[in-house]
Amino acid sequence: MMSEPQPEDAKRRKVDFEEDVKPIRTHRLCPYLDTINRQVLDFDFEKLCSVSLSRINVYACLVCGKYFQGRGTNTHAYTHSVAESHHVFLNLHTLKFYCLPDNYEIVDSSLEDIKYVLNPTFTTEHIKQLNTTGKLSRAIDGTLYLPGIVGLNNIKANDYCNVILHALSHVTPLRDYFLREINYARVKRPPGDSSFLLVQRFGELMRKLWNPRNFKAHVSPHEMLQAVVLWSKKRFQFTEQGDPIDFLSWFLNALHRALNGTKKKDSSIIYKTFLGSMRVRTRKILPVELSEAEKNALLMTEEYAEQVSESPFLYLTCDLPPPPLFKDEIMENIIPQVNLYTLLTKFDNETEKEYKTYKENFMKRFEITQLPPFLILYIKRFTKNTFFVEKNPTIVNFPVKNIDFGDILTPEVKAVHKYTTYDLVANIVHDGEPGKGTYRVHVLHKGTGKWYELQDLHVTDILPQMITLTEAYIQIYELRKDDNVKMDES
């Protein structure tokens, strides 16, 4: 005796059958177009039926904004149209408009704006102008916004993801690559591979952030974060606070792999943009209790000889000096400060840093051998000891423009770098206690030349001088390639 098909399977077959077989009458004029309510349309959420939670043949009701499955008789969309007298629907996959329950396709140029909000597209000409124009756009409610400078919803505790997504959206080569879907549409991945979803969702989010014709002045990263939760195997959630540097490191590597990236520098847009390399010299520290003769004997062995290794990097970790243990009565309110160049001496091939493991101690020296087009600095503010996490409040003094990283390069390495001067494009800040607190980001909008502070949905402009007073956590610098920076090149 044959087993009955499952209800979902049966429904799916029925829907598919009706969608394929039923002839569609195309009407160019529809009497219900004035019932469309653009104010309620929100295409940022997962494309699934609000009744059956199915992802197959999902239609958006353009009157109330809800999603329903199917179009044929007895489907959820059909029932909704009859019960509520809502007649205009959009297929979220094919981008075609239909009138239900009459079931005819609507062809009308006045609906193009809805289609564009669901799937914004960018021409190469449009992309070229993004860094030179500061033209404001107007949302449906009259709010003015600057494309690229729009708030991101904080669903519960995903501000640590939002700041990274905002910062990356202002890295020009990365943004330009993801704004054109054709750039990664041809990437071949194994069947059923969910990692490519991360690439698609990131591309969608980039296009929504830079969309000049948005209905509202903010974007929800809901679908992007769903892909993050899925592909990170729930390591990164949007319901509990995480660390942006962990997320950034994982996200860049996951995107690189999903784009079929290899160890070669030009194998993906991620490596082309952020990959640098350094030489690490490691030597084991001699035990203190030995005599001079014994120490000299050990130094001759291979175990205590200096080891040299080449190491690629996507970001550099800068260590803050420990804050003073005791507060002085007079200087109680003074927060310790350090210059960025002082932190960067770690990579000058001269400064040694001690690293302790469970058994042994090592001294390491770092030498940068290749600077990337975009340099990410991670300023290590949090240290974990046996009992709790401590935060170092030291303020880092840094210029916003013309930071010369050539000063920390060895003469041989500097000779092969034509340009070594960088400008800041994004600055991520942590406020509050370790493990709790909130994150915000400062980004440079190149079209206007202005700096903006983004914290979830809050967007404000900020003076560059104010950025340097914050507890900087992650920074992204862009290499300058104009010859007026280095007069000696001519």
Side-chain angles (χ1 to χ4, degrees), residues 99-114:
C99 181
L100 297 182
D102 301 354
N103 200 16
Y104 60 81
E105 186 182 343
I106 304 164
V107 180
D108 196 297
S109 58
S110 69
L111 301 172
E112 287 299 313
D113 63 330
I114 296 175

Side-chain angles (χ1 to χ4, degrees), residues 401-421:
K401 282 188 167 185
N402 294 340
I403 300 166
D404 192 357
F405 282 81
D407 298 345
I408 57 166
L409 301 179
T410 56
E412 305 82 61
V413 174
K414 193 171 181 180
V416 292
H417 282 78
K418 187 179 180 185
Y419 304 105
T420 55
T421 307

Side-chain angles (χ1 to χ4, degrees), residues 368-426:
I368 292 176
T369 53
Q370 179 68 51
L371 287 168
F374 282 79
L375 183 66
I376 302 174
L377 290 187
Y378 157 51
I379 296 162
K380 196 174 178 184
R381 288 204 173 272
F382 302 109
T383 48
K384 289 176 184 163
N385 59 29
T386 321
F387 306 104
F388 51 86
V389 179
E390 284 183 303
K391 180 182 175 183
N392 189 328
T394 303
I395 298 287
V396 179
N397 296 318
F398 56 91
V400 172
K401 282 188 167 185
N402 294 340
I403 300 166
D404 192 357
F405 282 81
D407 298 345
I408 57 166
L409 301 179
T410 56
E412 305 82 61
V413 174
K414 193 171 181 180
V416 292
H417 282 78
K418 187 179 180 185
Y419 304 105
T420 55
T421 307
Y422 284 77
D423 292 340
L424 187 71
V425 291

Side-chain angles (χ1 to χ4, degrees), residues 71-320:
R71 199 177 70 236
T73 343
N74 300 327
T75 56
H76 296 301
Y78 184 95
T79 311
H80 174 75
S81 74
V82 173
E84 302 292 333
S85 287
H86 293 175
H87 299 291
V88 191
F89 289 79
L90 165 64
N91 184 313
L92 295 173
H93 180 65
T94 64
L95 305 188
K96 288 182 177 179
F97 298 88
Y98 296 93
C99 181
L100 297 182
D102 301 354
N103 200 16
Y104 60 81
E105 186 182 343
I106 304 164
V107 180
D108 196 297
S109 58
S110 69
L111 301 172
E112 287 299 313
D113 63 330
I114 296 175
K115 206 186 284 189
Y116 192 85
V117 166
L118 175 57
N119 185 28
T121 51
F122 290 80
T123 62
T124 45
E125 278 306 306
H126 185 181
I127 292 170
K128 278 179 193 169
Q129 292 166 9
L130 290 179
N131 282 353
T132 54
T133 178
K135 192 180 173 187
L136 291 168
S137 295
R138 192 181 293 276
I140 276 199
D141 63 359
T143 314
L144 288 170
Y145 71 93
L146 197 56
I149 308 288
V150 291
L152 279 174
N153 268 1
N154 189 344
I155 298 160
K156 190 175 180 191
N158 55 281
D159 54 325
Y160 76 98
C161 294
N162 287 357
V163 289
I164 294 296
L165 297 171
H166 267 310
L168 293 178
S169 74
H170 287 266
V171 173
T172 305
L174 199 67
R175 177 199 68 193
D176 294 356
Y177 178 85
F178 280 97
L179 286 180
R180 296 272 293 166
E181 202 173 355
I182 194 156
N183 287 335
Y184 47 90
R186 299 191 191 96
V187 174
K188 296 275 189 294
R189 295 295 296 168
D193 173 46
S194 61
S195 71
F196 197 66
L197 188 68
L198 209 60
V199 175
Q200 291 169 317
R201 292 283 182 263
F202 187 55
E204 284 168 17
L205 184 69
M206 283 280 188
R207 292 196 292 279
K208 284 174 179 175
L209 284 172
W210 286 92
N211 182 2
R213 293 188 252 159
N214 240 329
F215 285 171
K216 51 192 187 338
H218 65 270
V219 173
S220 176
H222 196 271
E223 284 192 291
M224 172 80 238
L225 296 174
Q226 291 278 30
V228 166
V229 173
L230 172 76
W231 188 236
S232 70
K233 298 182 174 63
K234 299 188 178 175
R235 179 180 159 194
F236 299 103
Q237 303 271 12
F238 47 77
T239 51
E240 54 189 65
Q241 187 67 279
D243 192 330
I245 194 64
D246 292 344
F247 175 65
L248 176 67
S249 178
W250 171 84
F251 188 60
L252 291 180
N253 282 299
L255 282 178
H256 173 69
R257 285 195 302 272
L259 290 164
N260 290 335
T262 61
K263 288 184 178 180
K264 291 179 181 172
K265 184 172 172 58
D266 59 351
S267 60
S268 83
I269 187 67
I270 305 297
Y271 273 21
K272 280 180 191 171
T273 309
F274 296 115
L275 191 72
S277 63
M278 66 166 80
R279 198 168 285 132
V280 184
R281 292 178 169 83
T282 310
R283 64 179 179 85
K284 201 170 169 182
I285 297 175
L286 293 161
V288 187
E289 63 276 4
L290 299 180
S291 66
E292 283 301 314
E294 289 172 315
K295 283 180 181 177
N296 290 334
L298 277 176
L299 281 172
M300 304 304 288
T301 63
E302 197 176 322
E303 187 185 353
Y304 284 87
E306 189 173 69
Q307 308 289 327
V308 181
S309 62
E310 297 291 330
S311 174
F313 65 85
L314 288 173
Y315 64 86
L316 294 176
T317 303
C318 296
D319 305 298
L320 289 170

Side-chain angles (χ1 to χ4, degrees), residues 15-24:
V15 169
D16 288 349
F17 178 75
E18 283 168 344
E19 305 277 314
D20 295 339
V21 174
K22 201 159 185 175
I24 298 297

